[in-house]
Amino acid sequence: MSNKNTNFSTSRRRLLKGLGMVGLLPAIPTIAANTSGHAGHVIVVGGGFGGATAAKYIKRGNPKIDVTLIEPNSTFYTCPFSNLVLAGERSLDSIGHSYEELKSVFGVNVIHAFAEDIDGVAHKVTLSNGSVLSYDRLLLSPGIDMRWNAIEGYDEAASEKAPHAWKAGNQTLLLRKQLEDMEDGGTFVMSVPADPFRCPPGPYERASLVAHYLKQHKPRSKVLILDSKDNFSKQGLFTSAWKDIYGDMIEWVGVSGDGRVVRVDADKREVETEFGTLHSASALNIIPPQKAGFIADRAGVTNESGWVPVNPNTFESQQVADIYVVGDATLAAPMPKSGFAANTQGKVAAAAIVASLAGITAPDPYWANTCYSLVNPDYGISVAGVYKVEDNQIITVPGSGGLSAADASLEIRQAEAAYAVGWYEAITQDTWGTQY
Amino acid sequence: MSVRSILAAFALVSCLPAIAQTTNDWQRVAPLAQAVNSEVVLSKGIDITLPLVAENGAAVPLRVNFDTSQLAESEFIRSIRVFSSGNPNAEVIDFHFEAPFSRIELSTRIRLSESQKVFVLAESNQGRQWLSQRDVRVTVSGCLMTGDDSVDAAVMSSPRIALPRNARSGEAAEVRTLINHPMETGFRETAAGEVIPQQLVESLTIKQNDQPILLVKFHTGTSANPFVSAFLDEVDNLLFRWEDQLGEHIEEKP
Ligand SMILES: Cc1cc2nc3c(=O)[nH]c(=O)nc-3n(C[C@H](O)[C@H](O)[C@H](O)COP(=O)(O)OP(=O)(O)OC[C@H]3O[C@@H](n4cnc5c(N)ncnc54)[C@H](O)[C@@H]3O)c2cc1C
């Protein structure tokens, strides 16, 4: 892993200063390593923010538990900061993370394969390499799948021509290429789905950073956001920053202005909206409606919404015993579908799994979340919240969190951009690394 | 949009424990209790599509299907009315059918100030009534805080109509329509604490060959920029007319 900013202690300090969050990490009961016996086998499916965190924290909670992590890719590219890659401000390598430290330092058994099926009754997982593994507890953090064809004409093949770039890696590079190939004076068109979807402020950060690139390299170009909603995360902050920094380069059209895209022609790079307006694009980014990763369906833990209802105290499935689900795949609102949320949920589920295998009660959970967005690389804004369980539902702790001030100085925006970098270093270390 | 600040406040309200449920929840919703006229209310036959969890109570997509095959020979649906158990005003939106519709499938966007029940009451020309309900949990997702509290001018603008691209004659086809208007509820205050007066689009009338076929009444529970879709048996010679509380109107043809 290589990073622009490798001063971890500084970034850690910045993060803590920015959030005052050291006390917010859920406590994991550390089980005194038993001298003998089988402490149980946990399979974790998905080595992203939720799954890698859970695998590591189960091992930290009780090293005697066997933990097997199933993840097809040997390098995980984070969606956080992938908008900087898109804008040419970072390399794809700099947002790649390997599983080496989980293996060598924490003793997680990592298998690079795809989980294809789950039998919750028999407690078995079938892998793409043909093997069948048994578990005592299963944790799924499969992230999202796209709802192909929810928008007419937008299927997996179309996503090669009109990338979603809503999973980082090759998709990010495809969209980057379209942006690089775009002529000066062209339009970057982005279609944004209705809630709920992965990373509510993500599309608007992307629009900002695309504009940042265009302003320097293709200043006559435009960014057009066609939205299926009438309001969006940090709207006031984004809108006024766009005006200040990018003039009228970014245009946002909400659902009531005919912003909902209903048809895509990926070959022609053309979209049609609900009331029949056609827009043609030089670069076309379709962020389609989403659902829990398909393996959640196979496990029988999703409901009619396509997402996974969980017991908020433990993140165990409401539908199938011994299966825990965290991250974007879950119905955890008011917690957003963010990497930060997936990471803290992974810790809560890890604590619950360690406790349940030891036959003790899990500690009361609480979670924190901060979503930083960069309007340009030196201009950050954020929204934060702290969450707890009340009446068996997750709620926002009254009075917690909030938005960046609307009238903050440029120095504060700059400091928040630095905190965002600190946040990134800290969370990726906390998830895949050993630094903290 | 007009309810943002209300929703910010409601984020806390929705944290309160749910009220104990009884079988006759609808009787506690006064305008609904009043609208129920018959002794027997049928509970099956209406299909309500709403999200289980709404992350933005300002615009919750609602779809209502009524299975018309259960109607008698000369029976047709006269009205479909939507009520809520927890909004400051229970009335959400009403559809009055001035002619028989072969397919009753409506959609709109509604406001839900907190977690609550949504009721749909259907009535036929023979006085039969059907009632269904759905629970919706409303939570304002952390990352959805918008930090925007603007007051938009309360005038109607930009009416839009979309006809189906490939309507086949003899088959009902979906028509969508939208008009821009903030739908001020009268429940909202400015930062200075002054109440912003109520300003609503009151109704949409769809006429065919100069005859009204569908009358839609909007209430405070209808989202800003009221959106309606319905299946019409014929899509020729349509006229859409919106009226607001100030007595202004706008007419538009597809
Ligand atoms: C552009 C963008 C910017 C973002 N910025 C931020 C930000 O600044 N801050 C923030 O907190 N969040 C951000 N997010 C959101 C964040 O990326 C997600 O919320 C987070 O990745 C969710 O974690 P997860 O564990 O649920 O899923 P993921 O991190 O996507 O991990 C899922 C993993 O599961 C694996 N998998 C799936 N199915 C299977 C299977 N059947 N078998 C084996 N493995 C499987 C996948 O390969 C993947 O590695 C951003 C998202 C986007 C798109």
Side-chain angles (χ1 to χ4, degrees):
Chain A
M1 190 183 104
S2 69
N3 282 298
K4 266 194 177 172
N5 250 294
T6 41
N7 190 340
F8 292 120
S9 57
T10 319
S11 50
R12 171 75 166 166
R13 234 182 304 122
R14 276 188 198 145
L15 171 71
L16 297 178
K17 218 170 93 205
L19 300 182
M21 66 161 259
V22 74
L24 290 175
L25 299 177
I28 306 262
T30 310
I31 308 294
N34 10 0
T35 40
S36 68
H38 175 64
H41 181 214
V42 180
I43 297 180
V44 175
V45 174
F49 278 90
T53 304
K56 169 174 162 180
Y57 276 80
I58 292 168
K59 274 296 196 185
R60 278 180 57 164
N62 182 357
K64 288 277 168 188
I65 296 174
D66 286 328
V67 177
T68 306
L69 175 64
I70 314 295
E71 163 61 52
N73 306 303
S74 53
T75 302
F76 182 87
Y77 294 103
T78 60
C79 284
F81 280 23
S82 67
N83 286 332
L84 286 167
V85 176
L86 189 61
E89 296 286 324
R90 263 193 179 235
S91 67
L92 188 63
D93 272 355
S94 79
I95 59 166
H97 302 273
S98 88
Y99 298 94
E100 289 313 313
E101 288 177 302
L102 287 184
K103 286 192 230 176
S104 60
V105 179
F106 296 99
V108 175
N109 175 28
V110 181
I111 300 178
H112 291 301
F114 213 71
E116 282 185 340
D117 205 0
I118 287 166
D119 183 336
V121 177
H123 286 58
K124 286 193 192 313
V125 179
T126 306
L127 306 188
S128 50
N129 63 16
S131 58
V132 179
L133 307 180
S134 298
Y135 63 83
D136 297 306
R137 301 289 184 277
L138 175 64
L139 184 138
L140 307 178
S141 191
I144 53 161
D145 270 358
M146 306 303 160
R147 289 184 191 265
W148 302 122
N149 295 310
I151 299 175
E152 187 185 329
Y154 197 66
D155 56 13
E156 196 160 4
S159 76
E160 300 286 312
K161 294 171 184 156
H164 50 76
W166 222 237
K167 293 182 180 182
N170 193 40
Q171 277 280 317
T172 316
L173 297 180
L174 282 175
L175 192 58
R176 167 81 190 145
K177 177 97 183 23
Q178 284 198 8
L179 198 55
E180 281 174 328
D181 292 347
M182 195 170 141
E183 73 281 20
D184 189 8
T187 307
F188 180 97
V189 176
M190 177 197 296
S191 161
V192 185
D195 303 310
F197 66 101
R198 160 175 284 182
C199 196
Y204 315 99
E205 178 189 73
R206 173 170 293 173
S208 309
L209 292 175
V210 165
H212 175 71
Y213 165 82
L214 293 174
K215 190 178 165 186
Q216 299 167 74
H217 302 281
K218 293 155 192 177
R220 295 189 301 121
S221 308
K222 292 248 175 267
V223 177
L224 175 63
I225 308 169
L226 298 172
D227 211 325
S228 295
K229 305 181 292 301
D230 270 335
N231 34 45
F232 61 86
S233 178
K234 304 181 236 185
Q235 184 164 9
L237 292 168
F238 272 116
T239 312
S240 72
W242 287 345
K243 234 207 209 128
D244 289 353
I245 303 175
Y246 304 116
D248 56 4
M249 185 178 253
I250 301 176
E251 185 189 354
W252 174 79
V253 181
V255 69
S256 295
D258 195 18
R260 187 165 82 90
V261 169
V262 294
R263 191 176 60 82
V264 173
D265 186 331
D267 288 316
K268 286 208 237 158
R269 289 197 190 153
E270 185 182 84
V271 299
E272 181 181 339
T273 53
E274 193 167 42
F275 289 96
T277 314
L278 293 175
H279 299 274
S280 50
S282 320
L284 181 56
N285 176 207
I286 304 293
I287 306 168
Q290 298 148 28
K291 59 183 178 182
F294 90 103
I295 196 69
D297 254 346
R298 303 295 307 166
V301 293
T302 52
N303 71 12
E304 68 205 68
S305 69
W307 305 100
V308 179
V310 289
N311 169 350
N313 282 300
T314 55
F315 275 68
E316 187 174 3
S317 159
Q318 288 182 3
Q319 295 169 198
V320 185
D322 297 335
I323 301 184
Y324 295 71
V325 188
V326 300
D328 289 356
T330 61
L331 283 165
M335 293 191 77
K337 296 189 187 304
S338 75
F340 199 150
N343 168 277
T344 55
Q345 291 164 4
K347 289 174 188 171
V348 164
I353 287 172
V354 168
S356 109
L357 286 172
I360 60 175
T361 314
D364 280 346
Y366 48 88
W367 304 265
N369 182 69
T370 304
C371 291
Y372 287 100
S373 298
L374 297 172
V375 180
N376 75 30
D378 294 316
Y379 189 116
I381 54 179
S382 66
V383 57
V386 181
Y387 307 90
K388 65 173 184 182
V389 176
E390 208 170 275
D391 296 307
N392 210 32
Q393 290 190 324
I394 299 174
I395 63 159
T396 306
V397 172
S400 74
L403 281 169
S404 305
D407 55 358
S409 65
L410 267 179
E411 286 69 38
I412 289 178
R413 303 292 191 222
Q414 207 163 6
E416 286 222 79
Y419 294 155
V421 176
W423 170 83
Y424 183 82
E425 304 301 349
I427 196 135
T428 53
Q429 280 299 310
D430 189 41
T431 304
W432 293 277
T434 51
Q435 209 74 26
Y436 308 119
Chain B
M1 290 306 123
S2 55
V3 289
R4 271 179 210 147
S5 61
I6 306 180
L7 287 170
F10 285 148
L12 304 176
V13 177
S14 69
C15 303
L16 297 174
I19 305 158
Q21 296 179 13
T22 66
T23 41
N24 290 335
D25 284 320
W26 62 268
Q27 287 171 324
R28 285 198 254 129
V29 180
L32 173 57
Q34 257 168 33
V36 173
N37 58 24
S38 58
E39 302 269 302
V40 190
V41 179
L42 302 163
S43 60
K44 289 217 173 65
I46 307 177
D47 191 21
I48 307 176
T49 310
L50 274 167
L52 297 172
V53 180
E55 295 198 20
N56 176 9
V60 183
L62 165 70
R63 202 166 179 95
V64 176
N65 280 1
F66 181 90
D67 175 9
T68 49
S69 71
Q70 61 194 318
L71 296 171
E73 186 81 4
S74 56
E75 191 177 27
F76 65 91
I77 289 298
R78 266 271 179 239
S79 69
I80 300 261
R81 302 183 62 191
V82 182
F83 301 88
S84 64
S85 66
N87 279 358
N89 169 7
E91 291 173 289
V92 175
I93 189 168
D94 303 329
F95 299 85
H96 296 278
F97 303 88
E98 309 291 339
F101 274 48
S102 71
R103 181 163 171 188
I104 307 265
E105 193 172 330
L106 308 162
S107 64
T108 184
R109 298 177 188 132
I110 68 173
R111 285 171 168 154
L112 296 175
S113 56
E114 58 184 47
S115 299
Q116 57 183 289
K117 286 183 199 305
V118 172
F119 300 92
V120 177
L121 178 71
E123 185 174 336
S124 80
N125 60 335
Q126 300 181 359
R128 284 210 289 169
Q129 292 188 323
W130 291 258
L131 179 65
S132 286
Q133 67 182 56
R134 276 288 302 269
D135 286 292
V136 183
R137 186 170 172 235
V138 178
T139 86
V140 177
S141 163
C143 277
L144 289 181
M145 292 169 100
T146 62
D148 181 5
D149 255 327
S150 51
V151 179
D152 298 336
V155 289
M156 298 188 288
S157 65
S158 311
R160 296 177 206 267
I161 301 165
L163 296 185
R165 264 188 295 149
N166 34 21
R168 264 176 281 164
S169 81
E171 229 174 78
E174 186 169 36
V175 172
R176 287 190 290 251
T177 180
L178 174 81
I179 195 162
N180 287 154
H181 187 280
M183 296 289 283
E184 271 306 338
T185 56
F187 308 137
R188 199 165 77 112
E189 289 179 1
T190 60
E194 276 168 57
V195 173
I196 304 168
Q198 187 180 84
Q199 284 298 340
L200 300 174
V201 181
E202 283 194 319
S203 67
L204 161 67
T205 308
I206 303 179
K207 291 184 182 176
Q208 189 150 47
N209 303 319
D210 294 331
Q211 295 300 313
I213 55 169
L214 178 62
L215 169 66
V216 187
K217 286 202 148 174
F218 304 119
H219 302 284
T220 49
T222 311
S223 294
N225 309 304
F227 168 92
V228 166
S229 82
F231 276 78
L232 305 187
D233 290 293
E234 296 291 339
V235 295
D236 301 330
N237 301 322
L238 295 173
L239 177 82
F240 290 62
R241 179 188 169 96
W242 289 264
E243 285 176 29
D244 71 14
Q245 265 176 328
L246 299 170
E248 300 292 324
H249 73 267
I250 290 190
E251 286 188 349
E252 181 82 3
K253 288 179 178 169

